[in-house]
Amino acid sequence: HIGRIKRKDNRPFKTNNIINFLDRISTALSFMCGRYIGICLAKGYKNNNNTYRLWIENIVTPFRFVPTWTDTISNHHNIEKYLSLMCNKLEDGYYGPAIKHVIDWYIESLGDITLENNIISIQIALEALSYIILVEKEGLLDDEQFDQNNASKNIKLVLNACNIPHGSDELELFDDWIRGKFDDGVDLVIYFRNKIVHPVRKDNRANLTVEDMWNIIQIGTKYIELIVLSFIGYKGEYSNRLKERWFGEVEVVPWNKLD
């Protein structure tokens, strides 16, 4: 019941503040569920009487199960902490809109149009996150340095900055030829994307099977999930989409293990 929520100084929220508050919750829930979650109606009560109503136009995706970083989490404290951290970050005038755009591409990458569409959306999200963190948040690169680097280098830099492991272990899902040609999952994500947007006549490129393409998408999606969680300061549990798992089987985020 949003109408009961007040500021720290005990003053009630204005309508615009309530709309912004609900929008942040919707965005946070959307990243949890891998689809658009909208809060269309808010009601306020005083002395058990409905004294406030607010209808809001939202994008809402029809329900369907989407594997995400939360799909096996059973401890609700993880979700509570995540929601608080994400909503706080979304209040920022720069980071809020930037992360919302990343979540848009994240949801697009989980869609069922084509695998090619998925991987292109993944790279856009990863490049956006690389800029947000390497240039704007950490100041590890300036604009010129960022632009001079190729996408693979920037993505590896942001994974390192967030203490997210990447390396040859990620290639266990693939055959010997791929394991011998690529260093890690980042190289595969970039290769798959470039194979789509830069088609050439040469026949010396890797022949990716549908299973290979699916696995590359899972690697790229995991990068997005972990980078966003690291960015907001989350240190709880998550569902590792690269492993088969039952409900309740989770892992602690890698940067918390290092702490």
Side-chain angles (χ1 to χ4, degrees), residues 12-258:
F13 281 102
K14 294 180 180 180
T15 296
N16 285 343
N17 292 326
I18 294 175
I19 292 174
N20 292 334
F21 177 74
L22 294 175
D23 182 64
R24 291 193 292 272
I25 293 177
S26 295
T27 300
L29 291 173
S30 297
F31 184 64
M32 278 180 51
C33 300
R35 56 189 178 86
Y36 288 109
I37 305 295
I39 300 174
C40 300
L41 171 63
K43 293 183 178 181
Y45 291 84
K46 184 175 182 180
N47 298 327
N48 293 322
N49 293 318
N50 181 202
T51 58
Y52 180 88
R53 290 185 184 180
L54 175 65
W55 288 95
I56 309 169
E57 185 176 356
N58 274 305
I59 298 175
V60 180
T61 306
F63 175 80
R64 67 187 180 95
F65 173 74
V66 181
T68 71
W69 64 274
T70 64
D71 57 23
T72 60
I73 291 179
S74 59
N75 185 342
H76 66 89
H77 294 295
N78 289 285
I79 303 304
E80 292 171 0
K81 189 62 177 177
Y82 157 75
L83 288 172
S84 176
L85 290 167
M86 177 60 88
C87 288
N88 286 338
K89 188 65 72 174
L90 290 170
E91 287 189 62
D92 185 273
Y94 169 75
Y95 293 131
I99 290 300
K100 285 189 68 174
H101 286 311
V102 168
I103 293 173
D104 286 338
W105 287 112
Y106 171 71
I107 293 173
E108 184 76 14
S109 76
L110 298 173
D112 54 7
I113 298 176
T114 64
L115 296 179
E116 290 79 5
N117 185 74
N118 297 151
I119 196 64
I120 291 172
S121 299
I122 284 169
Q123 179 160 341
I124 293 172
L126 289 174
E127 290 196 49
L129 285 168
S130 299
Y131 183 86
I132 293 167
I133 294 173
L134 296 176
V135 179
E136 296 294 343
K137 180 177 182 287
E138 301 294 340
L140 298 175
L141 301 175
D142 58 29
D143 284 337
E144 184 177 355
Q145 292 170 323
F146 184 88
D147 291 339
Q148 287 176 345
N149 290 342
N150 57 34
S152 178
K153 184 173 182 178
N154 284 332
I155 294 170
K156 291 181 183 183
L157 284 173
V158 78
L159 290 172
N160 291 336
C162 295
N163 291 315
I164 298 169
H166 59 95
S168 58
D169 290 348
E170 298 171 298
L171 305 182
E172 293 179 355
L173 299 168
F174 305 94
D175 61 26
D176 292 340
W177 192 92
I178 289 179
R179 288 199 299 269
K181 186 175 179 62
F182 299 95
D183 291 332
D184 54 29
V186 178
D187 289 344
L188 270 176
V189 168
I190 300 302
Y191 173 81
F192 184 13
R193 180 266 183 189
N194 289 344
K195 193 171 187 289
I196 296 164
V197 299
H198 303 304
V200 297
R201 293 180 181 272
K202 297 178 182 178
D203 59 0
N204 61 346
R205 288 190 166 188
N207 183 22
L208 300 177
T209 66
V210 173
E211 184 178 2
D212 290 335
M213 291 186 282
W214 173 256
N215 287 330
I216 293 170
I217 287 168
Q218 298 312 301
I219 291 172
T221 304
K222 180 185 175 183
Y223 289 158
I224 297 172
E225 293 171 336
L226 289 180
I227 294 171
V228 171
L229 292 176
S230 173
F231 175 68
I232 67 173
Y234 178 79
K235 294 186 177 182
E237 298 168 334
Y238 79 104
S239 304
N240 187 345
R241 63 173 52 248
L242 299 184
K243 297 181 180 179
E244 294 185 5
R245 59 207 182 277
W246 297 96
F247 183 71
E249 288 186 272
V250 292
E251 297 181 15
V252 176
V253 290
W255 51 91
N256 195 20
K257 294 178 183 178
L258 295 175

